[in-house]
Amino acid sequence: APCQQATQNQLLASSLIGSSTTGIFIESIRVESARSSVLSFTGPVSDYLQEGDAITINPSSILVSGKTLLYQTQAERHDVYALAGMSPFGDDTDTHFFSRWHRVHYLDPKEDGSASISGAATTKLRIPIGWDANGGVGVPSFSFAQNSDDNQWVRRSIMDTGRELRSDVAMQQLKLCWGPLDQGYSLFYADAGVVTFADPEAMEFAAVSLTTR
C-alpha cells in the first residue's frame, strides 16, 4: 500500500502472539503463595515468551471447580479476573480492560528440573499473582479450557504489524499508550512503551561508475 498521512484515530492491522497462533495452551496452574503462581503449558514457550513479557488469559477459558464463567459465583469470578489479568467494565460487562497483565518469569533450574538457564524448551513460567492457602476461602480450584478457535492466552507486550511507520523529522521517546476508542475518542489507559524516529545514517561514499558487465 502507498504511504499515506496518518489520521488522528488511525487504526493499524496488527497481530498478537497467543495460543491460537502457537498451538500451545495453558494446561494447569500451581499456586505457590499469595503473590506467586506457576503456569504449565502444553509445549515449550521460550520461542514466544521472553523474560518480562506481559500476558493476559481469556477469562472464558478459566474454570473454577469445573464451572465456566456463566455459572461461577461473584467471588469465583473475582478470582478468575485476577488470574486473567483483565476485567469487565462495571457498566459494560461485554467489554474487558487490562487491569493488571502478568509479567512472566522463567523458573530457576535449581528449583525445577524442566527449566533451563537459557529458557530453552521450558513449559513452565511464573506469574506474580497468587492466593493465600491459609486465608479466606483458600486457593481456588482452577482448570483451563483449550479451544483452538479462541485465544486462551495472549502476549500483550509486543505487537506485530505489516505497516511501516515513518516520520518527516527525527523524534525521540514518544509515548506509546494503550487506549480504547470510546464514541470516536481515544482514551488514555496506560503507557505501553516509547517510539523513536531516527534519521538514517548518511552514506560515507556514493558514486556512479562504469563496469565491465
Side-chain angles (χ1 to χ4, degrees):
C3 190
Q4 63 184 39
Q5 185 75 26
T7 62
Q8 183 177 359
N9 293 324
Q10 186 77 46
L11 298 178
L12 297 178
S14 60
S15 61
L16 296 171
I17 284 179
S19 60
S20 64
T21 59
T22 64
I24 299 174
F25 296 85
I26 301 170
E27 62 180 355
S28 64
I29 180 174
R30 173 168 56 87
V31 178
E32 299 179 302
S33 67
R35 297 184 179 181
S36 178
S37 298
V38 174
L39 298 175
S40 293
F41 293 79
T42 57
V45 292
S46 49
D47 288 339
Y48 311 108
L49 294 173
Q50 304 301 315
E51 179 78 14
D53 272 347
I55 67 169
T56 58
I57 305 172
N58 188 339
S60 298
S61 70
I62 304 174
L63 311 180
V64 179
S65 300
K67 295 183 291 184
T68 62
L69 199 63
L70 180 63
Y71 299 100
Q72 293 164 8
T73 65
Q74 286 295 101
E76 290 171 337
R77 289 181 185 178
H78 176 79
D79 290 330
V80 165
Y81 292 135
L83 176 57
M86 56 195 303
S87 304
F89 287 106
D91 58 348
D92 186 0
T93 56
D94 291 330
T95 303
H96 291 77
F97 66 93
F98 307 138
S99 57
R100 57 170 81 81
W101 49 53
H102 302 306
R103 297 286 179 180
V104 300
H105 301 280
Y106 283 106
L107 277 65
D108 189 322
K110 295 180 181 179
E111 62 177 312
D112 193 301
S114 66
S116 64
I117 295 177
S118 64
T122 184
T123 59
K124 297 180 181 180
L125 290 173
R126 178 173 284 118
I127 57 174
I129 182 71
W131 285 261
D132 186 355
N134 299 318
V137 295
V139 178
S141 178
F142 291 119
S143 58
F144 298 90
Q146 299 176 13
N147 185 352
S148 60
D149 296 329
D150 202 3
N151 254 336
Q152 183 203 49
W153 62 270
V154 176
R155 183 184 66 180
R156 299 290 183 181
S157 48
I158 299 177
M159 179 187 73
D160 294 322
T161 177
R163 303 297 296 273
E164 184 180 64
L165 303 180
R166 301 181 61 183
S167 173
D168 294 331
V169 295
M171 293 181 286
Q172 297 182 346
Q173 300 293 307
L174 301 177
K175 283 191 174 184
L176 180 66
C177 307
W178 291 107
L181 285 177
D182 187 0
Q183 297 182 0
Y185 294 94
S186 181
L187 305 179
F188 170 79
Y189 177 71
D191 289 338
V194 294
V195 177
T196 294
F197 293 97
D199 286 322
E201 295 184 6
M203 296 180 61
E204 295 184 0
F205 177 77
V208 178
S209 304
L210 297 176
T211 66
T212 58
R213 292 184 179 181

